[in-house]
Amino acid sequence: MLKMESSGFSTVFSICSSIKKSKPLSSLITSSSSPLIPTPSTRITVPVKPISIGITKRSLSVVSGSKSDEIQPSSAPQVSDSFFRSVLASMEKVYLSRNPTAGAILELVHSFDASPICYDHLAFRTFGVDGHGINSMAKFFLEFGYTAKEELRFPAKKLKALWFAPPGNNYTGYGSGVSGPLPRVFISELLVHEMSSRAQEIIRKYTNLSGSGAKYAALASAVGSLTWKKPSLSEFQELARESEYAAWTLVNGYALNHVTISTHRLKSHLKNIHSLNQFIEENGFKLNSEGGVLKVSPDGLLLQSSTVADSTVFDFADGTSESVPRSYIEFAERLVLPQFKNLPEREVKEFHRRDGFEVGNADKIFESTSKDQLTRKAA
């Protein structure tokens, strides 16, 4: 059994060092000799090893369920760049191993565009209870110098989210995927206290079983492990009837929910998200149709779309095995802000473009793991 050390980062480092060298996106798109994609028939069994932020808008006071913590942005990164990226690479490896559609699209886009693929943002889901909420995952990014930005609320889904900008709001750099420009980070949490008493009972049962697992959210994501015991199928189904987000989180834990291709950083005509969506669909992939394939912010400057999540077989604690939703891949085009519209294209940088996120867009992107979209994909 792996011994957890007192420091979250030393634990992540010791475990990640023992993981077999992964093939991050940066290596995948520079080598055509070894395919990166698992076959769609891949059967995944989630390893079970026991291994938390609502925030007042524009403040750094963070609340997770009924418990408060303070987000203290670091004045300078407290972990090295190489270590930080190695953890992200391990998260990416788990994500690609469980989601063949994401790997196939990354290869497809690169084979056509032949330019580095940059990630706009990474996204995670959490339970907002007993320290297992946004802050449990955010701590890892804050230690590297990320800063908390704006909160988004989703009342109908009983969710809230917070996004984080990389150190110095610096989105520049070279390379692909987690080896490229540092992405934004989008972390959401289920407002467990707003759920039914039965749903709360199920969720608290497993977060309690996790013990101090919330301290190791980044590690759990990097090694592809739940921090609590496997649930029963009946409990998964009970949660799904009330909240598909809750059911997803119960069986996926802190796994990467999605990565997002920054389309405007591509070099070919695929930099236009309309063209990319058409290209993706022409190659046989289903896009999330909730609210229309293309999700557009009210100001018209943030354009997003996503695939429908992949599914794999999960072995439940009661001995049953059923298909469950995993993750998906998103696409985002950030248009140039009006005050910079006259800049020559070659001079436009990421900070000249629309930043942040939009509730209306994100609300529909969440549906990429919904039963309605999964059923449509299977049709």
Side-chain angles (χ1 to χ4, degrees), residues 122-151:
L122 309 178
F124 303 88
R125 295 181 177 184
T126 68
F127 285 134
V129 64
D130 298 334
H132 287 78
I134 292 170
N135 196 39
S136 60
M137 179 59 75
K139 287 176 181 177
F140 172 68
F141 294 95
L142 293 169
E143 288 282 356
F144 186 68
Y146 272 69
T147 54
K149 293 304 212 179
E150 294 169 303
E151 180 189 276

Side-chain angles (χ1 to χ4, degrees), residues 312-364:
T312 61
V313 173
F314 183 91
D315 294 329
F316 288 91
D318 52 12
T320 56
S321 298
E322 293 286 341
S323 180
V324 299
R326 292 300 190 178
S327 303
Y328 54 95
I329 187 166
E330 185 187 321
F331 318 100
E333 181 179 2
R334 297 179 182 274
L335 301 185
V336 176
L337 295 167
Q339 61 267 38
F340 302 119
K341 65 181 182 181
N342 294 323
L343 274 178
E345 185 175 355
R346 67 180 180 278
E347 295 180 16
V348 173
K349 307 298 181 186
E350 191 72 4
F351 63 83
H352 294 128
R353 298 180 180 273
R354 209 273 201 188
D355 205 357
F357 293 84
E358 189 64 44
V359 168
N361 287 20
D363 185 70
K364 297 174 178 65

